[in-house]
Amino acid sequence: MEYGRIVKRALQITWRHKVLWIFGIVAALFGMEGSSGGGRWNWLQYTLSPRDVERWRRGMPFGPRFPYRPGPPIPGWIEQGAPIMLGILAVLAFFALALVVIGIIARYTSLGALAGMVDEIETRERTSFRSGLGKGWPRMLRLFAIDLLIGIGVFIILIPILL
């Protein structure tokens, strides 16, 4: 296989058809892949230590102690503000979930569009943004399903190893 020729052709296609850049940037922005190859959400990793729990206990001026020791009562402004805070947290959680769904749709549509547009360039020597959306949208669910099945398989294999 002539890798040099393949890379040269890929660079030519990318430089001549800049509409591919839009879908490439969207796919990269919503990719969430760690560069270490360890999978998604590598940036969202934290290990809770006993020092963190102790620091949290000392920082709480009210509420239960572990083990429970009677302390000062919960201030009234917290009891009155708790439903408002829970409502705000629920709205923020809803928006976060909506952004995750939009990101998933944008990413897999962009990946499907890139594949379809490059195929179209190889056969017809031209492509467009509308054509990319038309090719990316039907491929989105298939690409998501492939990624999901691979993720489930890896999860099933890793569970016994981690246990």
Side-chain angles (χ1 to χ4, degrees), residues 20-37:
L20 293 171
W21 294 11
I22 298 168
F23 291 105
I25 290 169
V26 170
L29 285 177
F30 292 105
M32 294 187 286
E33 292 277 343
S35 61
S36 65

Side-chain angles (χ1 to χ4, degrees), residues 19-59:
V19 71
L20 293 171
W21 294 11
I22 298 168
F23 291 105
I25 290 169
V26 170
L29 285 177
F30 292 105
M32 294 187 286
E33 292 277 343
S35 61
S36 65
R40 292 194 165 87
W41 305 98
N42 282 343
W43 53 272
L44 193 63
Q45 213 172 41
Y46 182 76
T47 305
L48 190 66
S49 71
R51 283 191 332 228
D52 293 328
V53 175
E54 187 59 37
R55 195 174 323 130
W56 177 73
R57 277 192 219 157
R58 280 186 271 125

Side-chain angles (χ1 to χ4, degrees), residues 61-88:
F62 50 82
R65 306 288 193 263
F66 303 103
Y68 182 74
R69 285 176 267 151
I74 296 175
W77 62 271
I78 291 182
E79 286 183 15
Q80 293 171 354
I84 295 171
M85 291 303 289
L86 287 176
I88 291 171

Side-chain angles (χ1 to χ4, degrees), residues 68-123:
Y68 182 74
R69 285 176 267 151
I74 296 175
W77 62 271
I78 291 182
E79 286 183 15
Q80 293 171 354
I84 295 171
M85 291 303 289
L86 287 176
I88 291 171
L89 286 175
V91 168
L92 290 176
F94 174 76
F95 281 127
L97 182 64
L99 287 175
V100 167
V101 170
I102 290 169
I104 288 171
I105 290 170
R107 176 172 189 253
Y108 289 108
T109 301
S110 295
L111 291 175
L114 285 170
M117 290 169 74
V118 169
D119 182 53
E120 188 175 37
I121 289 168
E122 288 293 325
T123 57

Side-chain angles (χ1 to χ4, degrees), residues 101-158:
V101 170
I102 290 169
I104 288 171
I105 290 170
R107 176 172 189 253
Y108 289 108
T109 301
S110 295
L111 291 175
L114 285 170
M117 290 169 74
V118 169
D119 182 53
E120 188 175 37
I121 289 168
E122 288 293 325
T123 57
R124 295 190 325 181
E125 288 293 325
R126 63 188 177 105
T127 190
S128 67
F129 183 80
R130 179 177 284 182
S131 170
L133 282 178
K135 293 184 179 303
W137 186 252
R139 293 178 175 163
M140 185 234 350
L141 285 177
R142 284 182 281 180
L143 291 170
F144 177 72
I146 290 169
D147 222 10
L148 183 66
L149 290 174
I150 291 171
I152 290 172
V154 168
F155 180 74
I156 289 172
I157 290 171
L158 286 180

